[in-house]
Amino acid sequence: MTSTVPALGTRTAEGSALQAVLLDMDGTLVDTEGFWWDVEAEVFAALGHPLDESWRHVVVGGPMTRSAGFLIEATGADITLAELTTLLNEGFEDRIGHALPLMPGAARLLAELYEQAVPTALVSASHRRIIDRVLSVLGTHHFALSIAGDEVSRTKPYPDPYLLAAAGLGADPARCAVVEDTTTGVAAAEAAGCRVVAVPSVAPIAPAEGRTVVTSLEEVDLAFLRGLMTEMR
């Protein structure tokens, strides 16, 4: 977990109190949700169990233990959870080693948050080994800290990762803006009491109280995120 925490300096003259921005990784900053499904499909095909496309919405956005466990049970494949987790991580690392496309607007948003010294954390259900590979492309300097799915006892959809990130930044969860792409991640952020911007990647996400839905990160900038806090007053 990275540890350099910038000062909380995001109050506007109007009194808006955005204290931190917490960002999901897969499908939010990097266009990798399809990578995970492709790897899962390849691994299970090699085991003699083709995956049903309808399962894609079940496994997207969740912790690997849940996704892998579901696929083992659904297919009846003769493989342990530990063995499957290793194969999936290895397959994913191989893919991002060849290409790691960013989502539209991701680089611009990260640059703006960094330039304006907004405390920012990367919060993902992916394992640390994967997050560190992605951070080398996104730029570690963009994040004061990062939380991996294998570093918490309960990952998304539980609030624990977002509560840990907020605490690490010295921020009130209610004054944190979270950007997520899946219902699992949105549920975790909302359970933590954060304001949520949903940018759906694989499955639709409906607007709700305390939740704003946009079609792309290109619609999101610092003024937009500060505006979410202003709406709370």
Side-chain angles (χ1 to χ4, degrees):
M1 194 162 59
T2 55
S3 58
T4 303
V5 181
L8 300 180
T10 61
R11 291 185 181 273
T12 69
E14 294 76 24
S16 175
L18 174 67
Q19 293 183 348
V21 176
L22 315 178
L23 300 162
D24 174 53
M25 187 177 77
D26 293 301
T28 298
L29 293 176
V30 288
D31 192 6
T32 50
E33 289 291 13
F35 286 13
W36 283 113
W37 178 253
D38 290 345
V39 171
E40 289 160 350
E42 287 182 7
V43 168
F44 278 91
L47 294 170
H49 297 276
L51 299 185
D52 190 315
E53 183 69 23
S54 66
W55 297 340
R56 184 171 183 172
H57 289 179
V58 178
V59 300
V60 68
M64 183 175 293
T65 51
R66 188 198 73 182
S67 300
F70 168 82
L71 292 174
I72 290 172
E73 182 176 354
T75 61
D78 184 18
I79 188 170
T80 67
L81 184 60
E83 291 169 338
L84 180 56
T85 296
T86 297
L87 290 176
L88 294 178
N89 275 323
E90 289 176 350
F92 186 80
E93 283 188 276
D94 180 65
R95 269 175 166 69
I96 63 176
H98 291 89
L100 184 58
L102 270 60
M103 299 297 288
R108 187 257 322 140
L109 178 60
L110 288 175
E112 182 182 17
L113 295 174
Y114 177 71
E115 290 165 3
Q116 297 300 316
V118 178
T120 303
L122 186 68
V123 183
S124 176
S126 290
H127 289 188
R128 170 55 58 186
R129 61 185 284 188
I130 299 298
I131 286 181
D132 285 346
R133 289 287 299 275
V134 175
L135 279 172
S136 68
V137 175
L138 292 176
T140 56
H141 64 285
H142 286 125
F143 304 95
L145 60 83
S146 57
I147 305 294
D150 56 341
E151 294 174 339
V152 291
S153 58
R154 301 190 308 174
T155 189
K156 305 174 188 179
Y158 293 100
D160 305 37
Y162 282 113
L163 292 173
L164 183 61
L169 295 176
D172 177 356
R175 294 296 178 179
C176 293
V178 169
V179 185
E180 273 280 0
D181 73 303
T182 67
T183 55
T184 300
V186 167
E190 291 179 344
C194 304
R195 299 287 286 189
V196 178
V197 179
V199 192
S201 60
V202 175
I205 299 174
E209 181 70 26
R211 178 194 312 167
T212 302
V213 180
V214 298
T215 59
S216 168
L217 277 185
E218 293 181 318
E219 300 175 45
V220 180
D221 58 14
L222 181 53
F224 179 94
L225 296 173
R226 281 176 167 158
L228 300 178
M229 301 299 122
T230 304
E231 293 171 5
M232 295 173 60
R233 295 185 302 152

